[in-house]
Amino acid sequence: TIGVDWGIFVAFLFGALPLSYWLGRVALHVDIRDYGDGNPGATNVFKAGGGFWGMTAILLDGFKGAIPLWLAMGIGGIAGWDLSAVALAPILGHCYTPFLRFQGGKAITVTFGVWLALTTWLGPITLGLALTFWVLVLKVEAWAITLGMLTLLAVLLVTHAAPPLLGAWLGNFLILVWRHRHEFRRPRSAPPTQA
């Protein structure tokens, strides 16, 4: 087994890898921060390079959330509240990557990866369906993510999730709300902004 400190460090490092940004540089020869909302995340790879490269970026950003948790659980033997702490590390790494002067993405895709590792299909499917529904209804990403995460909480409560899983949800929720805080000033029915 490995200590939780090492688990957090490795998970943060995984999350901090700006894979979508590097993909844009290497495959598309562009800075994806010049597109969409200006963030170095998978959504702007879609806007810069289309569906194939966008899906590649989504998979890369998703798995950088899942892989360190699989390693922590499988090899490191990390569980319980320690696993909650490790689960937040790739999300924070993505948001505040030292590779891009601590100016990272909004952590939506990496959140899917984290919940894939924590709950297998339950978290990603719930989030995917909920976000799709709320984006169509509300149009503003911040409100859609807030209600999507609250939908996930409801499912976790109904399925009697363990307290450490709820702790991971709370930390994830607070990070996402903070990263999208500027969007809450816009009306819930406003069209998405473009940078």
Side-chain angles (χ1 to χ4, degrees):
T1 63
I2 62 172
V4 65
D5 293 343
W6 273 105
I8 291 171
F9 173 77
V10 170
F12 182 90
L13 184 61
F14 261 85
L17 298 173
L19 299 178
S20 290
Y21 171 78
W22 289 340
L23 183 65
R25 283 295 194 192
V26 173
L28 303 174
H29 308 290
V30 299
D31 186 339
I32 62 168
R33 296 173 297 182
D34 294 333
Y35 293 80
D37 60 7
N39 281 295
T43 300
N44 289 337
V45 178
F46 264 106
K47 293 175 181 177
F52 173 79
W53 294 113
M55 286 304 301
T56 301
I58 282 178
L59 290 173
L60 289 172
D61 278 356
F63 280 116
K64 77 178 186 179
I67 288 172
L69 289 184
W70 286 331
L71 293 174
M73 292 184 288
I75 297 175
I78 295 174
W81 288 106
D82 288 345
L83 186 61
S84 298
V86 174
L88 299 179
I91 298 169
L92 287 169
H94 181 82
C95 292
Y96 303 103
T97 172
F99 295 102
L100 296 175
R101 298 180 181 180
F102 301 96
Q103 301 298 314
K106 293 183 178 178
I108 299 168
T109 308
V110 73
T111 288
F112 273 83
V114 165
W115 286 99
L116 173 66
L118 291 176
T119 66
T120 313
W121 59 270
L122 181 65
I125 288 179
T126 300
L127 275 175
L129 292 174
L131 284 177
T132 299
F133 174 78
W134 290 116
V135 165
L136 290 173
V137 171
L138 300 175
K139 309 298 183 193
V140 177
E141 187 178 82
W143 289 108
I145 290 166
T146 299
L147 290 172
M149 286 296 289
L150 290 173
T151 304
L152 175 60
L153 174 62
V155 170
L156 292 174
L157 292 173
V158 166
T159 57
H160 306 290
L165 208 57
L166 299 178
W169 175 89
L170 178 59
N172 193 174
F173 178 75
L174 293 175
I175 294 167
L176 290 178
V177 167
W178 176 255
R179 292 297 289 173
H180 291 82
R181 64 193 182 280
H182 300 300
E183 296 176 34
F184 288 105
R185 298 171 185 165
R186 294 169 49 227
R188 287 190 293 274
S189 59
T193 57
Q194 296 297 325

